[in-house]
Amino acid sequence: MKKTFIFIFILMCIYVPLNAQSITSVILPQYIQGNTGTNSNRIPFAYRARLTGLNPNATYRFFNQVVISTDAPTSNGAGNCIFVSQTGDFVRTTSTSLSTAGGYGTFTTDETGVYEGWFVTEPTSNATRFIPGKYIFMRINLNNGAGGTSVVTRLTTADSVRVVKLGALSSDSTGTGLQCSSNGKPKDFVFLYDNVEGTGRPISGSFIENDGTANTTANNYSAFYANNVNAINGAFGVVLPNILPNGIRRIEQKSLANDSLIAFATDEDGIWPSGASTINPSGGTTAIILTSSDVNAFTSVNDKDIIMQEYNLAQNYPNPFNPTTTISFSLPKAGLVKLSIYNILGKEISVPVNEYLGVGMHSIQFNASNLSSGVYFYRLTVGSFSDTRRMLIIK
């Protein structure tokens, strides 16, 4: 009898964790915009999470909000939602509810009771959560997975996110907006890193416009976002912390359908080719502006919905390198393309590309195994267009 009891107890200890409901942060940026009092500088915050231990093949209603460490386990939290759709426009709501259409999103688990997807939070003027300097946690509120209209399950991330307010001061509770125009596909997602490898948690993240929601000043969005990002295909806007010694060195485009990497753009020192510096910004509501030339590799070579508008030569990656690196460029029209490598004296030492190429993004791998350490230059020439960039070999 004693052995039977011990065996049942062991089975229970094994069984419960395997079926416990949980949330795992897949991509969770470190910073989110916030304010005290009226929040009229809103910027959307996007993240990706995996939910496990749910009912298999079940359709859940949900809304995602944020909580702080002192919130009760039964608190839903605060914040507006922008529900991500795979087939149509995203849906923004300021009134979350599991019983009212438009007040909740839905997802369906797989046969093992797992769901992984994108979630977007819009910061509000909530008096206890979106306060600069605070750390908040993402909470996803779920129904029973069977049509219920009440919150049954609340799943909260273990990792926290720092709240920063748009302002010019250099402090750990202030931030600056960043806007960018790109060739990125609308409704994909972007994440910004302070290293060229894209390791660790991103600094910030959002979606690529146009997503179909009204992110306007009337809806309390920051003016830079409302006027220069909202409803503009390929544009995106995020918040950066003002204490950012490395600046932004990598921007990734992630697929709406999953978290696969579509494209990326890098900068080795955080000061982008247009001259825009992302190092310890202090603009507050005056956003840093990255141009399409800054992120010219920022599009999928297989995406036939995107039309190149201009010639672009990307910064090679990695840089510095040994012995190989990738050089990418985009062509708005077909033509004879020449890509040349020059030494520090201006002597042409290699011609990796000298051929007729079609419209779109092109990438080549350059092998410098026969070259010594030092500074080199590569030049793209197509018709009357010419652009040159610097690269560094370290052996």
Side-chain angles (χ1 to χ4, degrees):
M1 183 70 176
K2 182 177 180 181
K3 290 182 179 180
T4 301
F5 174 78
I6 293 173
F7 178 70
I8 293 173
F9 178 77
I10 292 173
L11 283 179
M12 290 176 64
C13 291
I14 296 174
Y15 176 79
V16 173
L18 286 177
N19 290 274
Q21 297 169 330
S22 65
I23 181 172
T24 302
S25 303
V26 179
I27 305 176
L28 184 66
Q30 298 179 51
Y31 295 91
I32 189 172
Q33 179 272 333
N35 210 333
T36 52
T38 301
N39 189 350
S40 58
N41 285 309
R42 298 177 183 180
I43 302 171
F45 173 91
Y47 65 100
R48 188 171 180 85
R50 181 183 302 114
L51 313 182
T52 59
L54 302 177
N55 295 330
N57 301 312
T59 298
Y60 282 84
R61 296 182 181 185
F62 77 94
F63 57 86
N64 52 286
Q65 298 191 296
V66 309
V67 294
I68 55 177
S69 59
T70 55
D71 277 322
T74 54
S75 171
N76 292 337
N80 296 335
C81 298
I82 296 178
F83 300 116
V84 174
S85 172
Q86 293 289 330
T87 57
D89 287 343
F90 293 178
V91 176
R92 174 180 179 268
T93 182
T94 60
S95 181
T96 56
S97 169
L98 294 182
S99 61
T100 304
Y104 61 86
T106 62
F107 64 78
T108 301
T109 58
D110 64 15
E111 64 277 5
T112 66
V114 174
Y115 172 76
E116 182 178 313
W118 298 110
F119 300 89
V120 179
T121 292
E122 179 186 296
T124 62
S125 55
N126 182 268
T128 58
R129 278 88 172 201
F130 294 105
I131 297 177
K134 276 189 175 290
Y135 287 94
I136 59 176
F137 301 84
M138 303 297 114
R139 176 165 289 179
I140 299 178
N141 304 287
L142 308 169
N143 74 343
N144 59 2
T149 58
S150 300
V151 175
V152 173
T153 302
R154 297 173 177 86
L155 301 178
T156 309
T157 60
D159 296 319
S160 62
V161 177
R162 180 79 168 186
V163 180
V164 292
K165 174 185 178 180
L166 295 186
L169 296 178
S170 176
S171 74
D172 59 4
S173 60
T174 56
T176 294
L178 178 145
Q179 68 184 61
C180 181
S181 56
S182 78
N183 289 322
K185 186 177 181 181
K187 301 175 189 174
D188 276 351
F189 289 80
V190 289
F191 295 94
L192 289 72
Y193 295 82
D194 64 353
N195 60 84
V196 295
E197 296 83 10
T199 57
R201 289 175 59 187
I203 298 298
S204 55
S206 189
F207 51 80
I208 298 176
E209 295 278 357
N210 183 11
D211 69 303
T213 62
N215 307 315
T216 62
T217 53
N219 285 331
N220 293 309
Y221 270 73
S222 187
F224 88 84
Y225 195 103
N227 298 330
N228 303 312
V229 178
N230 178 52
I232 299 175
N233 287 348
F236 60 87
V238 296
V239 63
L240 302 182
N242 284 351
I243 297 179
L244 190 62
N246 289 339
I248 295 300
R249 301 191 177 190
R250 182 181 176 97
I251 304 175
E252 292 188 346
Q253 177 186 352
K254 295 280 192 172
S255 170
L256 165 65
N258 47 53
D259 67 343
S260 62
L261 179 64
I262 301 298
F264 63 89
T266 61
D267 184 89
E268 63 186 34
D269 60 6
I271 302 175
W272 291 73
S274 66
S277 175
T278 57
I279 299 172
N280 295 328
S282 59
T285 56
T286 302
I288 297 168
I289 300 175
L290 295 184
T291 67
S292 58
S293 295
D294 287 320
V295 292
N296 51 43
F298 203 66
T299 185
S300 168
V301 296
N302 296 317
D303 193 340
K304 303 189 183 301
D305 294 330
I306 296 174
I307 300 174
M308 302 297 168
Q309 300 296 325
E310 56 185 12
Y311 292 102
N312 279 308
L313 177 63
Q315 184 64 51
N316 64 301
Y317 180 81
N319 188 44
F321 67 98
N322 177 33
T324 60
T325 189
T326 298
I327 300 174
S328 300
F329 53 89
S330 64
L331 307 177
K333 59 182 179 180
L336 180 61
V337 177
K338 183 178 181 180
L339 181 67
S340 303
I341 310 297
Y342 297 85
N343 63 18
I344 193 69
L345 299 177
K347 180 182 178 181
E348 185 179 77
I349 58 175
S350 178
V351 183
V353 178
N354 191 13
E355 60 182 301
Y356 192 92
L357 295 177
V359 174
M361 287 293 302
H362 301 272
S363 296
I364 65 103
Q365 188 176 73
F366 176 65
N367 191 318
S369 56
N370 62 333
L371 299 178
S372 58
S373 296
V375 174
Y376 294 83
F377 299 90
Y378 57 99
R379 177 181 298 164
L380 177 70
T381 304
V382 189
S384 60
F385 172 82
S386 180
D387 193 12
T388 302
R389 288 184 179 267
R390 172 181 174 273
M391 61 185 180
L392 179 62
I393 301 172
I394 297 181
K395 294 186 175 182

